[in-house]
Amino acid sequence: MAAANVTAISSFIEGAPPGELKDVIKDIKALTPNDPSLLTKALPAFQKYNEGQLTSVKLPGGSQNLIISPNVGGGHVQVLISEFNKLDDGRYFDVASKRSWSFDHMTQTASDVQSYSSDSKHLDLIASLHKSLTRHATEHYPSSTLAILPPSSSSADDTITLLLSASKYSPSNFWNGRFRCTYHFSPTTSTLRGTVKVDVHYYEDGNVRLTTTKSVSERTVSGGAEAVVREIAKQERAYQEELNRGFGELGEQSFKGLRRQLPVTRQKVEWEKVGSYRAGREIGGVGGGRR
């Protein structure tokens, strides 16, 4: 029974909409008052959620909030949590800010910030990609955080990973959303591939959620960092246009198809005559209604 409870709670955690993990935790505590240890047992689910959602977190220290282009000049540094920047000891790192940190997956807070340096041979390319992707993010995703990560030291693959996560929360209007993308670029083969994900939750007088994923198939990109980001912008623009078309078809076709074609009387209503109808007579049938 306990294992089943942990499995159920883990599914709630992993399925939490963007910006609503604290609400999910609050609900779990209310539903399981007799077993507060269940949340601790579900820690792997918290880690999977934060890494999968590319959770953005401020590193402690300083007073200024530097989001898009992080630095360490006395201000907060905004960084990402992902499977691609996790160290062997469970800590996470960021190349641009040259920092590593511990992360509490349940409270989504960072601590124990330390200096970090990468010995990757691709540091110049990583810096160029960071500069180009920063310009792209500033123009299209003002509230975003990005990371450019070197190949894993434990892998023979030379793939550089580009991450971008942009969130917008409006709980007072009952909606939250997140755009996130993951790209992999190989300097050796000059190929780019990736995925783009959109997750939006609307919950005013209901519960509607959009989760969608767009795969970017492998393609050759030549011309350095700027060419890579131009291709990324091209793919994201095409995806946005695809979403817009989908929303249009949803309203004009899908929702319309859900509507009842005929009323329960199985007879069409002649709307041009609706002003002359008398309740219980022409609509309900002659002599069949109350007067």
Side-chain angles (χ1 to χ4, degrees):
M1 184 65 178
N5 288 341
V6 173
T7 300
I9 287 174
S10 296
S11 67
F12 293 154
I13 294 167
E14 293 172 17
E20 299 176 41
L21 182 60
K22 290 182 180 179
D23 296 322
V24 171
I25 293 174
K26 182 179 178 181
D27 291 341
I28 291 174
K29 289 180 177 179
L31 292 170
T32 59
N34 297 325
D35 193 354
S37 65
L38 281 175
L39 283 173
T40 303
K41 295 175 183 177
L43 281 177
F46 284 104
Q47 178 176 331
K48 183 177 180 180
Y49 174 83
N50 286 313
E51 292 181 352
Q53 285 286 333
L54 301 184
T55 298
S56 176
V57 60
K58 291 179 184 177
L59 297 185
S63 58
Q64 186 181 3
N65 182 17
L66 303 172
I67 296 180
I68 291 296
S69 184
N71 60 51
V72 196
H76 279 303
V77 178
Q78 196 91 1
V79 292
L80 292 178
I81 302 297
S82 79
E83 63 178 293
F84 304 104
N85 63 330
K86 182 168 61 176
L87 298 170
D88 293 338
D89 58 1
R91 294 169 61 85
Y92 296 86
F93 72 91
D94 180 67
V95 175
S97 64
K98 298 181 180 180
R99 290 290 184 268
S100 72
W101 61 93
S102 297
F103 185 71
D104 187 318
H105 287 281
M106 190 181 303
T107 62
Q108 295 183 311
T109 55
S111 62
D112 189 23
V113 180
Q114 300 176 10
S115 297
Y116 173 85
S117 61
S118 172
D119 58 359
S120 173
K121 64 181 180 180
H122 299 299
L123 287 180
D124 289 341
L125 176 57
I126 289 173
S128 297
L129 286 168
H130 191 278
K131 183 178 179 180
S132 296
L133 191 60
T134 293
R135 286 197 297 266
H136 169 68
T138 302
E139 180 179 357
H140 298 285
Y141 314 107
S143 300
S144 61
T145 307
L146 61 89
I148 313 295
L149 304 170
S152 171
S153 58
S154 60
S155 173
D157 191 357
D158 71 339
T159 300
I160 294 173
T161 300
L162 299 84
L163 304 175
L164 189 148
S165 179
S167 303
K168 195 165 186 178
Y169 307 138
S170 186
S172 60
N173 293 310
F174 305 100
W175 63 264
N176 298 300
R178 176 174 292 139
F179 169 93
R180 62 193 192 275
C181 57
T182 302
Y183 296 99
H184 303 286
F185 176 69
S186 170
T188 302
T189 61
S190 296
T191 54
L192 177 73
R193 57 184 172 84
T195 56
V196 182
K197 297 182 178 181
V198 174
D199 190 345
V200 181
H201 184 214
Y202 181 78
Y203 50 98
E204 182 177 16
D205 296 329
N207 189 20
V208 179
R209 187 173 181 183
L210 167 72
T211 55
T212 179
T213 301
K214 170 71 173 180
S215 295
V216 178
S217 59
E218 187 171 274
R219 62 204 58 235
T220 301
V221 181
S222 57
E226 291 189 1
V228 171
V229 175
R230 278 198 302 270
E231 182 62 29
I232 287 174
K234 176 183 175 182
Q235 295 302 317
E236 292 177 0
R237 183 167 54 251
Y239 183 43
Q240 179 64 58
E241 293 171 353
E242 182 181 333
L243 284 176
N244 290 340
R245 287 193 299 270
F247 290 141
E249 293 175 359
L250 191 66
E252 296 174 5
Q253 299 178 19
S254 301
F255 283 159
K256 187 178 292 185
L258 293 174
R259 296 175 60 186
R260 186 190 297 273
Q261 297 299 312
L262 292 173
V264 292
T265 61
R266 307 299 297 172
Q267 295 179 349
K268 290 185 177 181
V269 176
E270 297 183 56
W271 293 107
E272 66 276 6
K273 297 181 180 179
V274 72
S276 62
Y277 284 157
R278 296 181 61 181
R281 187 173 179 179
E282 294 185 36
I283 294 180
V286 177
R290 296 175 59 186
R291 297 181 184 274

